[in-house]
Amino acid sequence: MNKYLLSLFLLLGVLAPIQSILADDDDDDEYEEISRINDELSTKVGIVTAKATAGTISQTVTVYGSVTQAPENSHEIYARFPGIIKSVNVAIGDTVKKGDRIATIESNESLKSYPIHAPASGVIVQRHANPGEPTQQRRLLTITNLDTVWIEFRIYPEKQAKVSAGQPVSITINDKTIRSDVAHLIPAEDKPYVLARVKLDNDELRLSLGLLAKGKIHTNEFDVSLVVTKDAVQELGERLGVFVKEGEAYEFAPLVLGKSDDNFIEVVSGLEHGAEYVSENSYLIKADILKSEAEDDD
């Protein structure tokens, strides 16, 4: 069910079986926030629980870049001796193997023809040669091998202290996730950033040059004694916490929180190991409690 539709149902009172109890504590005049929801209804509206356990906090830096060509895999073809181009055996887009004859040149000095062979396997991406033309000193052909490509991520000064070679990185390109490591950092000429370069085997990925990439470089990792999902944490009464399930009751537990990553947050205190807490759609319970408080105020 759509998240916003659920919220609307809740505010309109459609989820009538949900009852909130605000129990007055005579000792300190604080309120205990509890919502009661039967299990059948909680399942129906998408309330999901999980057990609080130990976990790992993986901190990341988000960076952006693009797919670039491996310099060592681009080959520019020139004539060894000036002459006239007798024949060209390839067109743009053709795939060649190392050693294939790709052109024939007639030397101006000896008037003898000599072949030009492909120095490496790859694809013909540029052709500036046609039969009958003089070779001069110009590039005739360019062969590129895309079996290996690089991702170059821009690392701006505020993030440079956190990033170093060897760190794992998760790369997202066109909804595809690829995992690798930062090979090295290099300066970018006349730019206010350095480049974190990641080498990828492109045999199966078939990535095109210029594709935009998003990276999450893993900068730190901590094993902690207790974590909850970040989506579980709600603010109630200017306190952060989660809703703990006891039977069919959901009680707000204020927490002292520590380190966090994209998915989890460390619990320093306020929750017991193994406690069952609402990990998804906790906003529904918060909305129900706030609705009940507003009704009591009226």
Side-chain angles (χ1 to χ4, degrees):
M1 187 179 293
N2 182 277
K3 174 177 178 179
Y4 301 102
L5 186 59
L6 284 173
S7 299
L8 180 60
F9 283 173
L10 187 59
L11 293 173
L12 293 176
V14 175
L15 303 182
I18 300 180
Q19 297 179 342
S20 295
I21 300 174
L22 298 178
D24 189 6
D25 188 333
D26 294 334
D27 293 334
D28 54 14
D29 293 328
E30 291 184 354
Y31 286 93
E32 182 181 34
E33 298 93 345
I34 301 176
S35 180
R36 297 190 184 279
I37 311 175
N38 67 60
D39 289 340
E40 181 181 355
L41 181 60
S42 66
T43 300
K44 189 176 296 184
V45 299
I47 293 173
V48 178
T49 62
K51 299 286 187 179
T53 62
T56 300
I57 301 295
S58 298
Q59 294 182 329
T60 61
V61 168
T62 300
V63 292
Y64 298 90
S66 60
V67 179
T68 64
Q69 178 178 287
E72 65 274 17
N73 288 343
S74 180
H75 303 272
E76 297 180 345
I77 311 302
Y78 293 82
R80 286 181 297 160
F81 310 106
I84 300 298
I85 300 170
K86 300 296 290 183
S87 65
V88 180
N89 303 336
V90 293
I92 291 177
D94 285 352
T95 298
V96 298
K97 294 182 179 180
K98 183 177 180 179
D100 284 353
R101 184 170 182 153
I102 55 178
T104 301
I105 310 297
E106 182 184 272
S107 171
N108 287 339
E109 186 173 335
S110 67
L111 300 182
K112 292 183 178 180
S113 296
Y114 65 89
I116 295 179
H117 298 284
S121 299
V123 176
I124 303 296
V125 295
Q126 290 184 345
R127 170 176 162 167
H128 305 286
N130 291 301
E133 296 177 344
T135 60
Q136 300 177 340
Q137 300 297 317
R138 60 194 171 99
R139 181 175 70 247
L140 304 180
L141 299 158
T142 302
I143 299 174
T144 294
N145 187 318
L146 293 180
D147 291 345
T148 301
V149 294
W150 291 83
I151 311 291
E152 292 186 345
F153 291 111
R154 300 178 296 277
I155 313 296
Y156 287 91
E158 64 271 18
K159 297 181 179 179
Q160 289 174 14
K162 298 180 180 179
V163 178
S164 60
Q167 290 174 330
V169 56
S170 298
I171 303 165
T172 303
I173 302 176
N174 291 342
D175 297 326
K176 181 182 297 184
T177 299
I178 308 158
R179 302 191 185 280
S180 189
D181 300 302
V182 176
H184 47 250
L185 300 175
I186 61 172
E189 187 175 358
D190 298 326
K191 300 294 182 182
Y193 51 75
V194 298
L195 295 173
R197 302 184 75 236
V198 180
K199 189 176 184 179
L200 295 179
D201 185 339
N202 200 35
D203 275 342
E204 295 183 3
L205 294 172
R206 298 298 179 190
L207 299 175
S208 300
L209 300 180
L211 283 175
L212 299 181
K214 176 182 178 180
K216 289 193 174 182
I217 300 175
H218 296 258
T219 56
N220 273 310
E221 192 167 278
F222 307 92
D223 291 326
V224 296
S225 58
L226 202 62
V227 297
V228 294
T229 61
K230 289 187 78 172
D231 289 344
V233 177
Q234 296 288 342
E235 182 178 356
L236 199 61
E238 298 184 354
R239 299 165 300 168
L240 295 175
V242 297
F243 294 101
V244 176
K245 186 177 188 297
E246 292 285 351
E248 294 188 343
Y250 298 85
E251 182 174 357
F252 184 70
L255 304 178
V256 176
L257 301 171
K259 304 176 184 70
S260 66
D261 60 19
D262 290 342
N263 301 307
F264 297 99
I265 188 166
E266 176 190 11
V267 177
V268 177
S269 65
L271 195 65
E272 294 183 359
H273 189 280
E276 186 177 3
Y277 71 96
V278 179
S279 57
E280 296 180 30
N281 293 326
S282 59
Y283 74 95
L284 287 174
I285 298 172
K286 174 183 176 178
D288 182 55
I289 289 174
L290 294 177
K291 175 175 172 286
S292 297
E293 287 180 346
E295 290 173 350
D296 286 349
D297 289 341
D298 292 340

